Amino acid sequence: HTARQIIEALRRPVDLGTQTVHTSTSVGIALFPEDGNTTSALLKAADMAMYHAKENERGTFCFFTDELNARAVERL
């Protein structure tokens, strides 16, 4: 619910006087302690989830999964 609210809020046009700016965002979600027990581990997991969201459909959100990590390791 919160991720959808963030995405919708950032999707609204912003009037900058002479220009209107349109933005969008993709959100990656990692949960403590399942996806990491340190700040850096959680950020890494959320980053992987965000890039997965961008690959599939921009302007959406994705939760981190072990499968995302396995794909990253496979690519390396």
Side-chain angles (χ1 to χ4, degrees):
H1 181 71
T2 301
R4 284 190 185 100
Q5 287 180 325
I6 291 168
I7 291 167
E8 286 303 315
L10 293 174
R11 189 175 285 156
R12 294 185 196 120
V14 177
D15 185 12
L16 299 178
T18 60
Q19 294 182 335
T20 301
V21 177
H22 298 268
T23 62
S24 67
T25 190
S26 297
V27 176
I29 302 169
L31 302 175
F32 175 85
E34 295 88 353
D35 301 329
N37 57 8
T38 65
T39 302
S40 61
L42 286 169
L43 286 172
K44 182 179 174 182
D47 196 47
M48 278 192 261
M50 179 197 61
Y51 281 107
H52 184 71
K54 285 183 175 191
E55 287 174 8
N56 290 320
E57 181 182 347
R58 290 185 178 264
T60 190
F61 65 92
C62 178
F63 283 90
F64 175 80
T65 64
D66 289 332
E67 181 183 331
L68 293 177
N69 190 46
R71 282 191 216 166
V73 170
E74 187 177 300
R75 280 185 286 218
L76 287 175

